[in-house]
Amino acid sequence: MAEVILENLSKSFGHEQAVIDMNMTIDDGSFVVLLGPTGAGKTTTLRLISGLEKLDAGSISIDGRVVDNETPAQRDVAMVFQQYSLYPHLSVRNNLAFPLRSPILQTSKADIERKVSEVAEILQISDKLDNKATELSGGEMQRVSIGRALVRDPAIYLMDEPLSSLDARLRADLRIELKRIQSDLGSTLLYVTHDQIEAMTMATHIGVLQEGRLVQFGTPREIYENPNSIYVASRLGLPRINVLPADLFPGTAGLAHSIGLRPEHIAYGDGVEASVRRVEHLGDQTRLHLDLAGHVITALSPAGDPYQAGSTIKIQPINPLYFDDGGQQTVGRIS
Amino acid sequence: MSYSVTEPSSRQKWVAGTLVVLYALITMVPLLWIMMTSFKTPPDSISYPPKILYQPSLEGYVNLFTTRTRVSPEKLASLPPPANFAEEIVRDRKMVIAGPSKFGGRFLNSVIIGFGSTFLSVFLGTLAAYAFSRFKIPLADDLLFFILSTRMMPPIAVAIPIFLMYRKLGLNDTHLGMILLYTAVNISLAVWLLKGFIDEIPREYEEAALIDGYTRFQAFYKVVLPQAATGIASTAIFCLIFAWNEYAFAVLLTSGTAQTAPPFIPTIIGVGGLDWPAIAAGATLFLLPVMIFTVMLRKHLLRGITFGAVRK
Ligand SMILES: Nc1ncnc2c1ncn2[C@@H]1O[C@H](COP(=O)(O)OP(=O)(O)O)[C@@H](O)[C@H]1O
Ligand SMILES: [Mg+2]
């Protein structure tokens, strides 16, 4: 396990700039999640660290060692790919043992046996060890490819949306399991996901990517509570943050160009009148879709207050986020 | 079977099956005729109307593998009794076995040249196809086109330059010369076919192996090759069929040491005319290796033909 430092990484493919001037320090033992929409450069970042892509500019060091000219094998990283990484001609057991048998690791037979069954146990695939890789369901394949990384003890684990093809229940199980493994072993992990629940629950740090740039890096709390732009604010939180013109409310008018309201930033009873357009009962929560002067706001219904479509309701912001006309956060909070 | 919209009905299948089987039978008649002729005696083989039912005989095969001389009846009577079935058959024709024929050697030449050039074509073709598929090669498209262009005219169009070149280089009538020639003809097919197959193998497989501590060559060997097995098998069959059946260059460039079976078989002449059963026996044996090779690889071949269409 080791610290990984990215300094001014840049990479383009033809005219497409996939990663632009990226700086990031992944502390030893931390669980860093990269968040960003498709095309933001998440996969490219992982591929640069693993050595599958050559840097255009910048430098990467792992465990204090500059690895820019090292081969993927020399860098001592393990990677779970977004898709396709099981060898179809090998059994599950041999797929899991494959990294251990590499000329670099040269693990003994007994150790391979032990490691493989240990990891198979964790990932609940012990009964599939003798199947061919092609005889597995999508979820099982994905677990085996996570297993192929977990059998190793590398400087850093790189995982590219490893849980995205699993069903909800398994995803929840593995999320907890992965987090447990990581904190038990003190492993360093760089993890790419679309799923904000994964990001919030597993990460020690979140890096938000926008069109190849790292736009914010911090703890999940920091990113959630103090996003530096509307873009970052929209990455986390369900229902999504509502962005409204600041002058909709008397209390915020003139303080900023626009304000961001998460459901917890909305107080009921006083303030500006909005009409309830739609009520969604999700079981554990009830969402209200409000119309305020033509702007749609998604809010959470306060407990025990059964609002109905068509009724009106008064709302006002409490401690909202302030953004300037470029979408960047500005000071001007009233606390 | 569950009902399915796309599945043909059993009547459609029956009609299609019957047509295919009928067609297969018709195309197999000449083969069958050759095999039947190989087990006839020379008189049966030229009798008219042709005999469908006859007493099978191994005379064709004996004649194929031996040379024989006619002897006088007195000499024949003075010989010790025949030691094996071959001598017995030959003596019935008032002849004795003088020695082995050249067929065994020619057949062996075919095996060496056919399989040798197939191996070389597939070996070089796989490496080249892998490089074209995975690496950034300057002018890759032009090179691929150039490789293909070697097949844009019939190979025999360059027969005279090759004949002269081979004479200068001392490659005339040598195994090496024929292997190189057939490899040169087959390599473009091999590169193009195999590139298609290797393109279909996702790079992530090798990349995973690279990260796991394997070298590029080990990744190629352990990950790409097993998955390209299908393509390699089908390519090998195509290459072998060409090299095995090739006639024109073999006639032109080989006459002795390296002569292959195709130019040799038609030259088998019996005493007093063409020995049809021996020729048919040669043709029958000649068919076997490609048949066996194809049957051995048929599992791969079938997957190869449907490759790309059926993969997940
Ligand atoms: N091998 C490649 N060739 C050309 N463009 C690429 C390649 N890999 C990535 N890109 C481009 O780089 C950008 C970032 O891609 P990627 O890192 O895969 O994003 P993400 O994983 O966040 O979805 C995209 O615009 C993509 O089209
Ligand atoms: Mg990606």
Side-chain angles (χ1 to χ4, degrees):
Chain A
M1 291 305 127
E3 182 186 54
V4 175
I5 300 172
L6 314 183
E7 276 177 274
N8 308 99
L9 299 196
S10 288
K11 176 73 187 175
S12 35
F13 299 99
H15 294 296
E16 187 82 51
Q17 288 196 292
V19 170
I20 306 164
D21 201 24
M22 182 182 296
N23 286 285
M24 184 161 37
T25 299
I26 301 162
D27 289 333
D28 190 7
S30 63
F31 193 128
V32 175
V33 167
L34 288 183
L35 264 184
T38 302
K42 308 181 297 292
T43 299
T44 305
T45 307
L46 297 192
R47 291 174 61 87
L48 286 170
I49 298 173
S50 66
L52 293 175
E53 301 287 352
K54 267 211 167 328
L55 286 169
D56 289 346
S59 175
I60 298 171
S61 62
I62 298 178
D63 201 10
R65 188 177 86 249
V66 174
V67 298
D68 300 347
N69 294 317
E70 290 187 355
T71 64
Q74 291 166 329
R75 295 186 185 201
D76 188 27
V77 302
M79 182 149 161
V80 178
F81 287 80
Q82 205 165 349
Q83 48 193 198
Y84 282 126
S85 53
L86 294 193
Y87 304 126
H89 60 290
L90 297 180
S91 67
V92 170
R93 185 187 303 281
N94 284 329
N95 261 288
L96 289 174
F98 192 81
L100 297 174
R101 295 203 178 110
S102 79
I104 287 200
L105 289 183
Q106 299 207 354
T107 321
S108 74
K109 261 207 159 71
D111 281 349
I112 291 180
E113 185 66 30
R114 189 178 49 75
K115 266 279 179 195
V116 165
S117 46
E118 201 178 292
V119 166
E121 190 74 33
I122 292 172
L123 297 169
Q124 304 167 30
I125 42 173
S126 304
D127 53 330
K128 306 277 181 184
L129 279 178
D130 294 310
N131 286 29
K132 270 210 139 179
T134 44
E135 297 165 354
L136 301 178
S137 71
E140 288 161 348
M141 286 193 195
Q142 198 58 19
R143 273 178 282 164
V144 177
S145 52
I146 295 172
R148 279 170 31 91
L150 292 185
V151 292
R152 290 181 49 195
D153 183 21
I156 183 169
Y157 292 103
L158 306 169
M159 300 197 180
D160 198 353
E161 310 197 24
L163 305 185
S164 59
S165 60
L166 304 179
D167 62 55
R169 180 138 171 247
L170 197 58
R171 200 184 315 184
D173 284 357
L174 279 180
R175 199 166 68 213
I176 293 165
E177 200 56 52
L178 264 183
K179 181 64 191 167
R180 189 186 63 75
I181 296 169
Q182 185 264 338
S183 45
D184 282 2
L185 300 177
S187 327
T188 312
L189 219 146
L190 183 58
Y191 186 101
V192 166
T193 184
H194 269 113
D195 182 328
Q196 51 171 302
I197 299 180
E198 284 174 26
M200 290 303 286
T201 55
M202 298 199 284
T204 57
H205 298 83
I206 293 177
V208 181
L209 265 61
Q210 178 178 16
E211 291 167 13
R213 288 177 206 275
L214 180 68
V215 289
Q216 194 171 356
F217 186 82
T219 64
R221 253 191 102 116
E222 279 164 17
I223 304 278
Y224 183 82
E225 292 178 356
N226 198 14
N228 61 17
S229 66
I230 293 176
Y231 176 86
V232 174
S234 320
R235 297 292 117 206
L236 295 177
L238 268 179
R240 246 168 173 243
I241 192 164
N242 301 287
V243 178
L244 304 164
D247 50 19
L248 271 187
F249 299 96
T252 58
L255 286 174
H257 179 264
S258 51
I259 57 169
L261 293 180
R262 296 199 194 274
E264 65 268 25
H265 296 146
I266 299 172
Y268 298 92
D270 270 330
V272 185
E273 195 159 277
S275 59
V276 179
R277 274 290 151 87
R278 205 145 47 85
V279 181
E280 283 181 322
H281 297 283
L282 301 183
D284 58 335
Q285 53 172 248
T286 301
R287 285 187 189 172
L288 300 179
H289 295 262
L290 308 175
D291 183 331
L292 198 162
H295 298 276
V296 178
I297 301 176
T298 312
L300 289 183
S301 170
D305 261 318
Y307 290 100
Q308 286 183 354
S311 59
T312 56
I313 176 174
K314 281 188 172 173
I315 58 171
Q316 66 177 352
I318 39 167
N319 287 342
L321 298 163
Y322 294 89
F323 300 106
D324 64 18
D325 55 358
Q328 299 297 308
Q329 200 192 26
T330 61
V331 279
R333 309 188 77 179
I334 21 167
S335 45
Chain B
M1 278 256 66
S2 61
Y3 173 77
S4 152
V5 185
T6 49
E7 188 86 355
S9 74
S10 63
R11 223 191 71 192
Q12 287 169 319
K13 279 188 191 166
W14 196 86
V15 171
T18 312
L19 284 177
V20 170
V21 169
L22 264 179
Y23 181 69
L25 285 177
I26 293 169
T27 55
M28 275 166 65
V29 166
L31 282 180
L32 200 68
W33 192 255
I34 290 174
M35 285 183 201
M36 281 171 66
T37 305
S38 76
F39 291 104
K40 286 179 177 175
T41 57
D44 279 350
S45 74
I46 50 171
S47 74
Y48 191 85
K51 287 191 177 175
I52 304 290
L53 292 174
Y54 56 92
Q55 179 74 37
S57 149
L58 284 174
E59 188 169 347
Y61 290 89
V62 171
N63 291 355
L64 177 65
F65 281 101
T66 59
T67 56
R68 302 155 304 281
T69 45
R70 197 169 283 285
V71 291
S72 63
E74 302 78 47
K75 179 88 189 304
L76 204 60
S78 68
L79 288 172
N84 52 42
F85 78 96
E87 274 182 31
E88 211 175 304
I89 289 175
V90 173
R91 286 205 204 158
D92 282 349
R93 298 275 175 222
K94 312 223 165 355
M95 291 190 284
V96 290
I97 294 176
S101 74
K102 291 177 183 165
F103 181 75
R106 302 301 193 250
F107 193 83
L108 188 65
N109 285 344
S110 264
V111 170
I112 293 170
I113 291 168
F115 283 86
S117 74
T118 299
F119 174 80
L120 202 59
S121 309
V122 171
F123 178 77
L124 296 175
T126 307
L127 292 180
Y130 180 75
F132 275 118
S133 172
R134 294 298 197 255
F135 300 130
K136 278 212 186 84
I137 296 174
L139 300 179
D141 289 346
D142 300 294
L143 283 174
L144 277 169
F145 181 78
F146 171 71
I147 290 174
L148 187 66
S149 71
T150 59
R151 288 302 294 269
M152 285 185 185
M153 48 187 174
I156 201 68
V158 289
I160 292 169
I162 285 186
F163 179 78
L164 296 174
M165 206 165 80
Y166 267 41
R167 205 172 49 184
K168 260 273 184 318
L169 294 171
L171 287 171
N172 259 345
D173 205 13
T174 60
H175 292 103
L176 180 66
M178 295 312 284
I179 289 177
L180 288 179
L181 180 66
Y182 291 163
T183 303
V185 175
N186 272 333
I187 193 100
S188 64
L189 175 81
V191 171
W192 274 77
L193 274 181
L194 285 164
K195 179 173 179 298
F197 282 104
I198 292 175
D199 281 344
E200 295 263 322
I201 303 171
R203 286 160 181 259
E204 278 88 344
Y205 289 129
E206 291 146 82
E207 294 180 339
L210 289 182
I211 291 177
D212 283 341
Y214 292 85
T215 63
R216 163 117 1 222
F217 181 76
Q218 288 164 331
F220 168 74
Y221 180 78
K222 290 192 184 236
V223 177
V224 179
L225 271 195
Q227 293 188 67
T230 299
I232 292 175
S234 9
T235 308
I237 289 173
F238 287 125
C239 290
L240 181 69
I241 289 174
F242 169 81
W244 189 256
N245 293 341
E246 206 285 328
Y247 179 78
F249 277 112
V251 169
L252 186 71
L253 297 175
T254 68
S255 49
T257 356
Q259 191 182 41
T260 52
F264 175 75
I265 292 173
T267 67
I268 300 168
I269 296 179
V271 182
L274 282 181
D275 189 347
W276 292 112
I279 292 174
T284 303
L285 290 181
F286 182 71
L287 290 174
L288 284 179
V290 175
M291 247 159 77
I292 293 168
F293 190 64
T294 309
V295 167
M296 264 167 36
L297 299 181
R298 77 184 181 288
K299 212 179 76 197
H300 291 299
L301 188 65
L302 280 178
R303 272 194 50 212
I305 289 168
T306 56
F307 196 88
V310 198
R311 263 166 51 113
K312 56 186 166 189

